[in-house]
C-alpha cells in the first residue's frame, strides 16, 4: 500500500557526533534542530523558520548523513524520498505520492522530509519539453511547490533537500518560502579528513603504528564516503591477513588498491 512506502524512520539515532569535518555546516542547521525540538516557542514569538533548506555539494560529502543527524538531534521522524524514484513512476502517480508524503509528515509533526537528488525533478524547465515523462516530472515538482507554499509555518515540518548540481535547479524552487536557505557542503580539508577517519575508526582496533593525521595527508580529494570505504578496505585486509588489529600497512595497501582501482577504471573508460 501507499502508506507503507512512507514509514518514517524514527529509529534514526544518527547525531552530529557521526558527522565530522563540516562543523560550520552543522552550525547553520542547529537553528532547525532547535525549532524542531520546541516549535511552540518559535510560534509564540511569531518567528518564521525556513520551510526548506537546500544542501548542495559533491557526492559523498555527507548531505544525507547531515539530514539524518538533524532528525536524530531533534528526535523527530525522518521521511525520506529519492527524487529519481518519482521519475520512474506511472504518469499521474508522482504528484499524489508527494501529497501523501506531506500529509503523513504533517500528521506526526514536528518532522523532517528529506528529498535526495532534488535536481532529478527540480531541474529547470525547457529543452526536451515534448519528451514523455517530462509532464510527470513537472507535475511532481509543482506538487512539491504547492505543498511548501501551503505551509503556514505552524505545521512544524521542515523540508531538507540535497543536490550535487544546484546550478541546474528551477529558480522557482529557490523563491522565498521554498528552498530559501542554502547550505553548501564542501569536501573535507586535511583536518576534516582526519576527523572523519576518527569517526569511522571508532569501533576499529588500530595498531600502534597507525597515524590518522598521516593517512589524512595522503588522501587529498577524498570525501567522507571514500574515507569510510578506505577504513573498511583496510579492516578487510587485516582480517584476511589474520591481524589482531588494523595496522599501517593495511591502510597503505588498501589506499593503493583503491587508487589503482580508480586509475584502472579511468583507463578502461577511455
Ligand atoms: P550523495 O550525494 O552521493 O547522496 P551524500 O553527500 O548524501 O552523497 P552520504 O550518503 O551522506 O553523502 O555519505 C555516505 C556515507 O559516507 C555516510 O553514510 C557516512 O558514513 C560517510 N560520510 C560522508 N560524509 C561524512 C562526514 N562528513 N563525516 C562522517 N562520515 C561521512
Amino acid at each position: 500500500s501507499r502508506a507503507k512506502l512512507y514509514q518514517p524512520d524514527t529509529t534514526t539515532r544518527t547525531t552530529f557526533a557521526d558527522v565530522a569535518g563540516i562543523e560550520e555546516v552543522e552550525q547553520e542547521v542547529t537553528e532547525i534542530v532547535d525549532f524542531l525540538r520546541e516549535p511552540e516557542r518559535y510560534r509564540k514569538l511569531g518567528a518564521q523558520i525556513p520551510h526548506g533548506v537546500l544542501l548542495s555539494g559533491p557526492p559523498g560529502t555527507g548531505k544525507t548523513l547531515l539530514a539524518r543527524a538533524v532528525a536524530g538531534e531533534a528526535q523527530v521522524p525522518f521521511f525520506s524520498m529519492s527524487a529519481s524514484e518519482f521519475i520512474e513512476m506511472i504518469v499521474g502517480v508522482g504528484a499524489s505520492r508527494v501529497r501523501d508524503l506531506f500529509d503523513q509528515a504533517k500528521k506526526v509533526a514536528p518532522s523532517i522530509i528529506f528529498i535526495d537528488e532534488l535536481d532529478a525533478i527540480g531541474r529547470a524547465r525547457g529543452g526536451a519539453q515534448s519528451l514523455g515523462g517530462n509532464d510527470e516530472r513537472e507535475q511532481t515538482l509543482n506538487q512539491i511547490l504547492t505543498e511548501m507554499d501551503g505551509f503556514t509555518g505552524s505545521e512544524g515540518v521542515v523540508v531538507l533537500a540535497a543536490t550535487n548540481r544546484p546550478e541546474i535547479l528551477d529558480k522557482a524552487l529557490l523563491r522565498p518560502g521554498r528552498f530559501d536557505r542554502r547550505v553548501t557542503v564542501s569536501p573535507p580539508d586535511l583536518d576534516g579528513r582526519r576527523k572523519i577517519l576518527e569517526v569511522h575508526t571508532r569501533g576499529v582496533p588500530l595498531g600502534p603504528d597507525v597515524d590518522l593525521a598521516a593517512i589524512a595527508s595522503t588522501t587529498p580529494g577524498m570525501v567522507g564516503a571514500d574515507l569510510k570505504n578506505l577504513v573498511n578496505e583496510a579492516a578487510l585486509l587485516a582480517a584476511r591477513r589474520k591481524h589482531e588489529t588494523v595496522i599501517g600497512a593495511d591502510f597503505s595497501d588498501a589506499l593503493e588498491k583503491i587508487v589503482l582501482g580508480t586509475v584502472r577504471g579511468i583507463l578502461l573508460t577511455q
Side-chain angles (χ1 to χ4, degrees), residues 148-203:
M148 292 183 77
D149 290 345
F151 280 169
T152 60
S154 58
E155 289 83 0
V157 178
V158 175
V159 187
L160 301 182
T163 181
N164 305 328
R165 309 176 65 190
E167 70 286 351
I168 68 165
L169 288 180
D170 196 317
K171 295 289 168 284
L173 276 162
L174 310 176
R175 286 204 198 116
R178 296 172 178 173
F179 294 99
D180 51 7
R181 174 112 25 132
R182 311 270 302 267
V183 172
T184 304
V185 184
S186 307
D189 61 9
L190 177 65
D191 194 48
R193 292 197 300 278
R194 180 184 53 78
K195 288 180 179 158
I196 293 171
L197 286 167
E198 274 166 12
V199 165
H200 289 283
T201 51
R202 262 187 221 145

Side-chain angles (χ1 to χ4, degrees), residues 18-20 22 58-65 116 164 196 200 224-225 228:
D18 301 305
V19 189
I22 48 175
T61 46
K63 299 181 292 298
T64 306
L65 183 72
D116 201 3
N164 305 328
I196 293 171
H200 289 283
K228 178 192 186 176

Side-chain angles (χ1 to χ4, degrees), residues 22 41 49-50 113 115 194 242 263:
I22 48 175
R41 204 161 57 81
I49 199 81
I113 293 177
I115 307 176
R194 180 184 53 78
K242 310 246 185 309
V263 171

Side-chain angles (χ1 to χ4, degrees), residues 48-104:
Q48 290 290 325
I49 199 81
H51 301 160
V53 180
L54 182 66
L55 308 173
S56 48
T61 46
K63 299 181 292 298
T64 306
L65 183 72
L66 182 71
R68 280 190 179 282
V70 170
E73 291 282 339
Q75 309 209 342
V76 300
F78 180 82
F79 291 86
S80 104
M81 69 175 247
S82 164
S84 62
E85 82 195 32
F86 278 76
I87 303 304
E88 290 150 23
M89 275 180 191
I90 313 157
V91 176
V93 175
S96 70
R97 283 275 162 86
V98 169
R99 215 174 300 130
D100 283 352
L101 177 65
F102 277 78
D103 284 348
Q104 286 196 49

